[in-house]
Structures are given as structure tokens and as C-alpha cells.
Amino acid sequence: MESEDLVEAAAAAGIEPVELLVAGESVEPALLAEVSTLGHAPRVVGVYRRDDLPGGRRDVVLALWRVADPGNVGTLLRTADAFGAAVSLSEGCADPLGPRALRASAGAIFRVPLVGWDELPERRVALVAHDGGSLEEAELEPPLALLLGSERRGLPEDFVAHSHKVTIELQGDAESLNVAAAGAIALYEVSRRPAAR
């Protein structure tokens, strides 16, 4: 983790680093600059165990299918954190621990449980760009999984066939929404329902 903010987020979640490198204290600043993926040299780099990330269940899960953009994965983690949801990542998703996903998550990776596809709730709602029922009118009582596919290919037909298919109605001329925007809207819709409170 290349950021004081991320290191602080880990500490706030009770996750201790295996190694903590601090420029000018435990390591030369030039060495951190050489290994950094940031546009500037970080002051702190923390190394963590993947097994120390949160586990457990939540009633709502954002299930991401082959979402390859790390910025979208990180943004969806942050959104799940804001609405109290868990996240499930299929094969082919961006690594949630990659530098761009970590930065986009703003530390949510340390608070949001990552669950396996085999742990998804039985009620599943597939968000599709076109030809689904209205999200506003959909049955969204938890526990449920909100399935989101990659922007280029969407969700596999067999997933959609075994899910309640919904579409976010658009008022303008855009063909579809960015996957992170769609996930945020769907989680907001779930959260405003009485059963989710």
C-alpha cells in the first residue's frame, strides 16, 4: 500500500502491516520513489497479508463479473462500504489489491468483506443495460446479490436467465451507464427500501 491514507485506513480497521517502510526513518526516500507506482514518491509503504482482509457475510452483495478496470473495482468497493454491502469478484476481475483499485477504494478494501461466488445469496438481480424490468419496481428485499457485468460484454446469459433482470432507466441519450455508476444506483435503491433498514 503506497499511501499514508491507506495505511491509516488499515490501522483503523485493526489490520497491522507485515512491514511498514517510512521514508527517512526505515528506508531511504529514493528507494521508495524507485518502487512507487504513484506519480510522486510515497512517504509510507505498508505490506499486508491478504488473509487479514475482512471476511464474513452481509445481506447485500455486489457480485462483479469480469470487471477488468481497477478503477471501477475500487470504486465499487468504496460504494459497497458506503451502503454496508459485501463484494464478490469473479475470475477476470481486476485485482482489488492492485495500486489503482486500492486508491479508488479509499481504504474500503479493509472494511468490505470479499465473498466467493459460491457464497452469494439465492435471490439474484442481474443489472443489464437494456430490456430488463424497472429497478425502481424490482423486488430488492435482502438477502440478495446484485450482479454487474463488464461494460463491454455484460453478464453471461445463463446468469441472467437465473436472475431477476433489471435495467436502470435512463432519461438522456447515453446508451448505458458506467458499471460503477450502475452499482451505486442499485445499492442506493436497495438502501432506501424499508426492508433494508
Side-chain angles (χ1 to χ4, degrees):
M1 315 274 153
E2 301 178 62
S3 154
E4 288 177 86
D5 292 339
L6 290 173
V7 169
E8 287 172 11
I15 300 173
E16 296 296 321
V18 174
E19 190 71 48
L20 187 64
L21 304 173
V22 181
E25 293 178 22
S26 58
V27 66
E28 290 295 320
L31 289 176
L32 287 185
E34 283 183 39
V35 298
S36 177
T37 61
L38 301 174
H40 56 78
R43 186 174 131 54
V44 176
V45 172
V47 179
Y48 296 86
R49 285 183 200 86
R50 189 179 202 108
D51 291 344
D52 290 342
L53 294 176
R57 293 182 172 264
R58 294 200 175 156
D59 284 342
V60 178
V61 179
L62 272 183
L64 311 183
W65 178 258
R66 300 192 185 275
V67 176
D69 182 277
N72 284 334
V73 168
T75 299
L76 286 162
L77 278 162
R78 186 175 183 177
T79 305
D81 188 28
F83 289 101
V87 171
S88 183
L89 303 168
S90 75
E91 287 185 27
C93 277
D95 182 357
L97 299 175
R100 284 186 54 213
L102 282 172
R103 285 192 297 276
S105 84
I109 189 71
F110 298 114
R111 296 180 296 273
V112 174
L114 295 176
V115 299
W117 276 81
D118 58 338
E119 300 173 70
L120 294 180
E122 285 186 34
R123 179 179 295 133
R124 297 175 184 188
V125 174
L127 276 83
V128 295
H130 307 285
D131 302 323
S134 168
L135 175 64
E136 188 174 288
E137 297 170 8
E139 174 63 47
L140 298 175
E141 185 178 328
L144 83 145
L146 297 167
L147 306 178
L148 296 155
S150 71
E151 290 181 34
R152 181 165 291 188
R153 297 208 163 121
L155 291 165
E157 277 305 313
D158 60 327
F159 284 13
V160 175
H162 293 95
S163 304
H164 182 69
K165 185 169 87 167
V166 299
T167 297
I168 297 170
E169 297 173 27
L170 303 178
Q171 303 302 311
D173 294 329
E175 179 186 344
S176 65
L177 291 171
N178 165 280
V179 67
I185 291 168
L187 281 175
Y188 173 75
E189 186 64 29
V190 171
S191 75
R192 69 183 204 91
R193 305 286 177 94
R197 292 186 198 137

